[in-house]
Amino acid sequence: MRVKAGLAFVTAAVLAVPLEPPTLHAQAADPAEAITRALPADVARRVLAGIADARARGLPADLLARRALELSAKGVPPAGIETAVADETADLAAARDALAAGGRSGPTDDELDAAGTALGKGVDGHQVSQLARSAPSGRSLAVPLFVISSLVDRGLPSDEALRRVLARLEARASDGQLEGLAAAPGRADQPGKLTGLDMAETRRPAEAGRPAWVPANAAAAAANRPLNPGRQGPGKP
Amino acid sequence: MGSLDAGLTRVGYSGVPGITAYSISPALQLFRPNASLLASGVFSEFSGGGWSVQGSASGSIFVPSGSRFQAELGAAVTGSAPDSGSGTAQLLGLARLHLAAARHGLWAGGSLGRTWDGVSWRTAAALEAAGWARLGNATVVASTSPSWIGDSLRFLDNEATVRWVRGPVELGAYGGFRTWFEPGNATATAWGGATAAYWLSNNLAIVAAGGSYPADFGQGLPAGSYVALTIRVATRRPPTPSKVESREYRLLQPLARPVVPDFQVTTISGTNRLVRIRAPKASSVEIMGDFNDWRPLPLSKDPGGDWTVVVPMSKGTHRMNLRVDGGDWGVPPGVTALNDDFGGVVGILVVE
């Protein structure tokens, strides 16, 4: 799912004005304050200490704070939150090393988040490095890594998930096309069922035959007279 | 997806001088899980004067089935009109039964309809049997189809096609031959050709093609040969044969069903994004994510039944969830879903 700009800007603005949707006017305040409010004091203190330590090590501390808030919002017990934040800190550190080994020594927070998530789901650090090495330079690895994580979550072995994503990167697939691999399906999608697209692909391929843009009825113009060879019978052009 | 081709074609016919056509050709392809719609048209102006239009549209619905068999019902309409002389038309209904595995399949079916060749309407009927297979980056299709046109023409078309895609390059080739049952002394014919497309970007391609094609006796259109060069502008590149992997992937259980049928995020200004959700039967819809420190934010319902809220979201990836009527936190359609490791799911929303 990607946010569209451009024309969507105008459309959304036109739609938004009369509808007056509610607006969240500002990003929430300091996540640390929210953690203090959300967790028991002793747990909050330890979680914040861990986050401060991560920040001192150059890791994206905000990711860890928001992970704690996510789990709190979902009703995860405080002990589980504390453990999850500690695990994620370790994953982020390992992710930074794996990305650096693949030539990405200055990853963005999104890339670190995605790589840490992948490692947390059992993807090997060497596989993360391989992706970093193989992806076009300058391309963000965040979406490819999140897609790998989603495929692994759905039961695909990590090497197979990596292979599929790498194949698409090689084919210059956009992030949006990669997301198609892992996006939540529409309600009509049913596992195991062929789709309209699948079926259409099995017919005569659109690029294999007389192209649709070649005029088939140019004979009359070529002959400069009406021509209906079909009425002349087979074998007679 | 939609596309527009503009280019030059040199068309030749036996016994008739060749002619150059300047053509514009729009095309539309719509795919849904249980349906497909393909439509295309061509307007051509000829170097010697005159013009022609032709077009075709076909649609199919796929009857749900719990097995590997799936039924397809469809209809196809084609037609053409030159600036002088009579036009042509063909209306067909079709039915097919597919037996498909991940990388190969078979289908059998038939079509029945009426065809106009500029002189009279005749009945057109055909049976078809075909098989397809995906071999690496290639899709191969082979078919055989006995056909009946009116009460005097019976012939058998056999054709094979292959489409190969790698990176920005698409190659297609086809070949076929026609043998006759009636009239029995008619000459067998063969045809073949190839197309090459190079995608300069996801929306722009150069396409070259050349080859021959058989007569369309139903519409009275003669056999011909062609060479063509066109520029294609498309909403996106067509799917590759490796798309099959996504279908194999669909064979896996989805991580989560979307909690709403439709979900859109558009940029209003700066980092302000309008979230619009289609959930007409809901009494409440809430969103939360890392963009608001995971505090449930209610959306408001507009008169059309959509739920909206404006949320500041920076560029990049955002973890988020939705829930309807106070239910479980879930993910909307089109968003990458992950297990949140505590029995729930979380969506990854990409903001450009």
Side-chain angles (χ1 to χ4, degrees):
Chain A
M1 177 72 195
R2 306 179 68 76
V3 176
K4 298 168 185 169
L7 283 178
F9 169 90
V10 178
T11 307
V14 169
L15 289 174
V17 170
L19 297 178
E20 296 178 359
T23 302
L24 183 64
H25 288 291
Q27 199 90 3
D30 182 2
E33 289 181 24
I35 288 174
T36 304
R37 284 196 303 271
L39 297 176
D42 58 331
V43 176
R45 198 164 42 247
R46 289 195 295 274
V47 167
L48 289 173
I51 290 173
D53 178 58
R55 180 178 285 112
R57 295 163 59 193
L59 297 173
D62 281 356
L63 290 178
L64 298 168
R66 295 206 164 95
R67 174 67 167 158
L69 293 174
E70 174 192 352
L71 298 180
S72 175
K74 293 179 176 177
V76 175
I81 295 173
E82 188 176 353
T83 303
V85 170
D87 290 347
E88 186 150 335
T89 302
D91 288 339
L92 287 174
R96 184 172 57 185
D97 294 343
L99 289 170
R104 298 286 181 120
S105 54
T108 64
D109 285 0
D110 283 352
E111 289 174 316
L112 267 182
D113 183 15
T117 299
L119 293 175
K121 293 182 181 299
V123 176
D124 187 80
H126 295 297
Q127 293 173 323
V128 172
S129 301
Q130 183 185 349
L131 179 75
R133 264 192 304 274
S134 304
S137 64
R139 173 177 183 137
S140 170
L141 300 177
V143 170
L145 284 163
F146 278 129
V147 168
I148 288 174
S149 292
S150 182
L151 292 171
V152 170
D153 271 348
R154 286 177 71 169
L156 220 56
S158 60
D159 57 346
E160 176 64 12
L162 175 69
R163 187 190 68 77
R164 291 186 182 190
V165 169
L166 280 176
R168 278 159 181 75
L169 289 177
E170 183 185 342
R172 301 187 187 180
S174 66
D175 278 352
Q177 289 168 324
L178 282 177
E179 286 178 278
L181 269 179
R187 282 196 190 280
D189 289 348
Q190 294 176 24
K193 226 185 64 176
L194 295 174
T195 69
L197 176 58
D198 298 324
M199 302 304 250
E201 284 180 356
T202 64
R203 295 197 205 110
R204 176 181 175 153
E207 293 299 342
R210 178 179 62 79
W213 35 273
V214 171
N217 59 352
N224 201 24
R225 59 185 169 82
L227 191 65
N228 285 106
R231 304 299 286 179
Q232 298 176 13
K236 301 173 184 175
Chain B
M1 64 169 284
S3 66
L4 182 68
D5 284 17
L8 286 173
T9 303
R10 182 72 180 173
V11 190
Y13 301 94
S14 178
V16 176
I19 190 168
T20 299
Y22 309 94
S23 300
I24 293 179
S25 174
L28 176 69
Q29 299 179 332
L30 293 176
F31 299 110
R32 292 292 180 268
N34 292 320
S36 66
L37 175 66
L38 313 175
S40 66
V42 190
F43 173 81
S44 301
E45 188 168 323
F46 301 111
S47 55
W51 53 265
S52 77
V53 292
Q54 65 189 62
S56 66
S58 63
S60 290
I61 58 172
F62 304 100
V63 179
S65 165
S67 69
R68 282 185 162 183
F69 288 97
Q70 195 159 13
E72 174 186 3
L73 299 173
V77 180
T78 60
S80 68
D83 65 338
S84 61
S86 299
T88 69
Q90 184 167 271
L91 312 170
L92 294 175
L94 63 87
R96 294 187 178 112
L97 184 64
H98 296 263
L99 172 61
R103 292 189 173 273
H104 57 271
L106 302 168
W107 80 80
S111 60
L112 179 65
R114 298 284 284 172
T115 185
W116 170 258
D117 63 0
V119 177
S120 62
W121 285 97
R122 288 180 292 177
T123 297
L127 297 174
E128 61 175 338
W132 61 271
R134 288 201 172 91
L135 309 169
N137 290 329
T139 302
V140 179
V141 183
S143 65
T144 184
S145 176
S147 300
W148 294 258
I149 304 294
D151 54 8
S152 59
L153 301 177
R154 313 271 189 277
F155 53 88
L156 177 69
D157 281 353
N158 304 282
E159 191 173 54
T161 69
V162 60
R163 176 178 174 238
W164 180 89
V165 182
R166 187 175 178 85
V169 179
E170 277 183 69
L171 300 175
Y174 66 97
F177 65 94
R178 175 176 289 166
T179 56
W180 287 88
F181 302 124
E182 187 179 347
N185 61 351
T187 308
T189 54
W191 61 90
T195 300
Y198 185 84
W199 287 87
L200 302 170
S201 71
N202 279 333
N203 308 102
L204 183 66
I206 298 175
V207 187
S212 60
Y213 55 88
D216 177 346
F217 287 99
Q219 295 189 79
L221 299 173
S225 57
Y226 63 92
V227 290
L229 183 66
T230 186
I231 298 292
R232 176 170 303 162
V233 179
T235 54
R236 65 175 174 84
R237 286 167 60 176
T240 66
S242 60
K243 186 82 178 177
V244 69
E245 292 182 0
S246 70
R247 187 168 69 77
E248 290 171 346
Y249 174 63
R250 282 198 292 273
L251 298 180
L252 302 171
Q253 285 296 326
L255 199 58
R257 286 291 175 200
V259 292
V260 293
D262 191 41
F263 172 79
Q264 295 175 15
V265 181
T266 48
T267 300
I268 293 180
S269 63
T271 60
N272 286 329
R273 323 287 176 177
L274 174 68
V275 177
R276 178 180 294 278
I277 291 167
R278 185 77 182 160
K281 295 179 181 176
S283 56
S284 72
V285 178
E286 295 168 286
I287 188 172
M288 67 176 183
D290 57 16
F291 43 80
N292 75 337
D293 283 348
W294 294 95
R295 289 179 299 185
L297 176 67
L299 283 74
S300 65
K301 192 174 188 179
D302 69 19
D306 287 352
W307 296 81
T308 60
V309 68
V310 176
V311 180
M313 281 189 248
S314 58
K315 290 182 180 178
T317 55
H318 291 277
R319 293 172 187 256
M320 53 84 64
N321 280 112
L322 284 178
R323 72 176 173 188
V324 175
D325 296 340
D328 292 337
W329 288 103
V331 293
V335 168
T336 299
L338 298 173
N339 283 329
D340 67 4
D341 301 328
F342 287 90
V345 292
V346 64
I348 302 296
L349 176 65
V350 181
V351 176
E352 286 184 328

